[in-house]
Amino acid sequence: MNGINKNRRGRVAHQRLRSRLDAAMAVAGVMVTVCSIQPAYAKRVPQQDMTPYVVRADDSLYTLADRYMQSPADWRLLRAINHVANPRRLQVNAHLSMPTSRLRQTLLTARVVAVRGSVDKLGTAGAPPMPVSAGTLLMEGDEISTGRDAFVSMLLPDGSHVVLPSSSQIRIGRLRTTLLTGAVDRQFDLKQGEVATDVTPFKNPRDSFRVITPSVVAGVRGTRFRVNYLATQDATTVEVLAGKIGVDGAGPDGAANRTSAPQPIQGGAQTLVLAGYGNLTRTGDAAGASVRLLDPPEIADPGKLQNAPQVAFDLTPVDGAGAYRTEIATDADFLDLLRDQRTTGLHAAFDNIPDGNYFVRVSATDTHGIDGLPQVFTFSRHLDTTNAAATPIEGNGYAFRWHVDGEANGARYRFILSSHADLSAPLIDLLDVSGGEMSVAHLSPGKYYWTIVVDTFENGRLLSIPSEIRSFTQTR
């Protein structure tokens, strides 16, 4: 009996020991599991672009997140990325990695410096468009549209210029700076027409400047270039006048309609376009090959005074040109555009140009629609308002009459009559003719040429404005 009880006690003790061992194993298993879990601040973080930061005195993860990150709670993200044990205590001169996508950014503004014609800022959610004038401030998200023969120039905070010619539409996709690095991010989404840029060379390696159309993503690092979205061809032309840019195909879904920066076409090689070259890219295709820009045309007699009702220019032909472009501006950089005309012929004419001094820029366009290199000339515009006329009188003579402008201060009138079309070897050349009328009698048979020259002072210098050279034939 004692042996039986003894065996029972042994089995119970064995069971108790086994239970204790199982419990110990279970606890050990939990301990192993707990030890295999890393602290929250050491968890795996997805690969992303990082901005380096060198720790300064009095820095902590809390102050860094509050100062440079999008949210004060981002200290946890900084702790996880950098495996920081104590977020309050950082070693001075230690190197931290700051996730670029979470860095705090400040919105910038672009200032309108010149406007011609009808330029509107398009409203959202059915709101009516608002007219844009010089001095208007534009910011990220604003969409600008120019009407026919309308132009607008914008000045960015770094001194870069963006010019939108007529019949164009653009959205400011991004215009901001990163607080920690000072990097400036600029993106313009061209939805219609053309944009010309003069980008100040970058001072910060993280600066970016992009022009996006449904066909291309054009990224630059300080250059002068033009981008033109040809809606009828569903293609984009790029022309580089200075520096160089990288052009990627933007894909078939229309990059200009995206709210975030588009990605280049998968597998598509970037085309590097240098100064003096351009390319054509169709929507959905990889970036087109680089082609040399056409040389600019010349203007026949560019220095002649533009005094006719129309301001007109005759261009010289350029091999390979399918069209020509003539632009007029009040400044040499063409930030204040007045007119922009494309012609298939060599003659360009413009109505309603006020008197003044101007710049004209001419270029040839190849058969693919890529504009060539430009050439700029100066010219003066003074409309002939003399309304001169000649009437036969008795005695084989003519009476010559012209309008005297009473508002022209100190204007003097000169009468020239010659038997040569270029008015050389004049038969009569009279200065200070007053009254707006004079007669000449006893003219021999023959053909005669005459004009009225208005001498006036402008900005302290003498300006001679000839009227149209007229002619008549004396038959008896």
Side-chain angles (χ1 to χ4, degrees):
M1 192 73 175
N2 290 333
I4 294 173
N5 290 336
K6 192 175 184 177
N7 289 337
R8 285 177 178 171
R9 285 196 299 271
R11 285 197 298 272
V12 170
H14 178 75
Q15 289 173 353
R16 287 176 179 170
L17 178 61
R18 187 175 184 89
S19 297
R20 289 172 183 168
L21 289 172
D22 289 343
M25 291 292 289
V27 172
V30 171
M31 292 286 290
V32 170
T33 303
V34 171
C35 291
S36 67
I37 298 175
Q38 296 180 339
Y41 61 80
K43 65 183 178 182
R44 194 177 194 84
V45 178
Q47 187 84 13
Q48 56 184 310
D49 181 54
M50 295 291 174
T51 297
Y53 179 80
V54 179
V55 176
R56 297 177 295 184
D58 299 328
D59 276 344
S60 71
L61 293 189
Y62 301 118
T63 59
L64 292 179
D66 186 61
R67 189 182 306 136
Y68 297 122
M69 307 300 289
Q70 294 179 18
S71 168
D74 282 336
W75 71 267
R76 296 185 178 88
L77 180 60
L78 295 179
R79 186 181 189 187
I81 291 172
N82 294 281
H83 308 288
V84 175
N86 188 343
R88 296 184 182 278
R89 299 187 64 181
L90 301 176
Q91 183 179 348
V92 176
N93 294 327
H95 290 259
L96 298 180
S97 294
M98 314 276 277
T100 305
S101 62
R102 292 294 301 170
L103 291 177
R104 180 182 298 176
Q105 296 177 317
T106 303
L107 296 181
L108 302 175
T109 57
R111 181 168 57 88
V112 174
V113 293
V115 173
R116 297 280 179 176
S118 175
V119 179
D120 292 320
K121 182 171 74 170
L122 303 183
T124 57
M130 298 180 62
V132 170
S133 58
T136 298
L137 296 180
L138 304 173
M139 62 187 302
E140 189 173 298
D142 286 341
E143 195 161 323
I144 306 301
S145 176
T146 58
R148 184 177 179 181
D149 288 333
F151 313 93
V152 62
S153 296
M154 293 171 271
L155 176 65
L156 305 188
D158 69 332
S160 298
H161 285 94
V162 176
V163 180
L164 201 63
S166 65
S167 304
S168 298
Q169 185 175 332
I170 203 169
R171 178 180 178 272
I172 303 177
R174 292 178 76 84
L175 187 57
R176 56 180 65 182
T177 184
T178 301
L179 187 62
L180 174 61
T181 63
V184 181
D185 185 11
R186 294 149 294 183
Q187 176 182 315
F188 294 87
D189 303 329
L190 181 63
K191 297 189 173 185
Q192 176 184 320
E194 180 184 3
V195 61
T197 69
D198 189 351
V199 182
T200 301
F202 293 177
K203 296 179 180 179
N204 191 321
R206 289 181 173 267
D207 285 349
S208 64
F209 191 110
R210 299 179 300 276
V211 174
I212 296 173
T213 77
S215 310
V216 304
V217 180
V220 306
R221 294 194 63 80
T223 185
R224 284 189 297 118
F225 73 108
R226 301 179 300 235
V227 177
N228 190 1
Y229 176 57
L230 308 172
T232 55
Q233 301 182 39
D234 198 12
T236 298
T237 63
V238 173
E239 302 110 22
V240 181
L241 305 179
K244 58 186 176 182
I245 70 172
V247 179
D248 289 289
D253 54 340
N257 297 320
R258 304 175 183 169
T259 56
S260 59
Q263 297 299 315
I265 290 179
Q266 294 297 321
Q270 184 184 76
T271 295
L272 184 63
V273 184
L274 305 178
Y277 288 81
N279 77 331
L280 172 73
T281 303
R282 301 190 184 280
T283 300
D285 293 347
S290 202
V291 298
R292 189 173 186 85
L293 300 181
L294 294 180
D295 289 331
E298 299 287 341
I299 294 180
D301 193 13
K304 76 173 183 179
L305 181 69
Q306 296 282 350
N307 60 355
Q310 285 188 319
V311 170
F313 304 95
D314 291 306
L315 311 182
T316 59
V318 175
D319 289 341
Y324 297 87
R325 184 176 189 177
T326 306
E327 302 164 273
I328 296 176
T330 62
D331 65 302
D333 293 322
F334 282 74
L335 301 177
D336 187 11
L337 277 166
L338 237 62
R339 298 286 191 276
D340 185 354
Q341 184 180 124
R342 293 181 183 271
T343 58
T344 54
L346 295 170
H347 183 76
F350 303 87
D351 293 316
N352 302 319
I353 302 294
D355 286 357
N357 298 314
Y358 298 96
F359 296 84
V360 57
R361 182 167 65 186
V362 292
S363 57
T365 306
D366 69 16
T367 53
H368 299 293
I370 301 175
D371 286 339
L373 294 171
Q375 185 166 199
V376 177
F377 302 87
T378 61
F379 74 92
S380 293
R381 162 64 164 170
H382 288 277
L383 181 63
D384 176 18
T385 58
T386 56
N387 296 321
T391 306
I393 59 174
E394 294 183 2
N396 295 340
Y398 277 79
F400 302 93
R401 299 181 178 89
W402 59 92
H403 170 68
V404 174
D405 188 355
E407 297 181 2
N409 252 343
R412 299 181 301 177
Y413 296 87
R414 175 184 176 190
F415 175 79
I416 302 175
L417 177 69
S418 173
S419 56
H420 301 280
D422 61 358
L423 300 179
S424 60
L427 302 172
I428 299 175
D429 188 350
L430 294 178
L431 297 173
D432 293 332
V433 180
S434 60
E437 180 177 345
M438 69 169 297
S439 299
V440 178
H442 309 297
L443 289 173
S444 302
K447 189 166 187 178
Y448 294 90
Y449 301 86
W450 69 284
T451 190
I452 298 296
V453 179
V454 183
D455 289 333
T456 185
F457 283 91
E458 183 178 283
N459 298 323
R461 66 186 182 94
L462 179 65
L463 184 66
S464 294
I465 307 171
S467 67
E468 178 186 352
I469 297 177
R470 294 166 170 80
S471 66
F472 62 90
T473 301
Q474 178 72 16
T475 58
R476 55 188 176 85

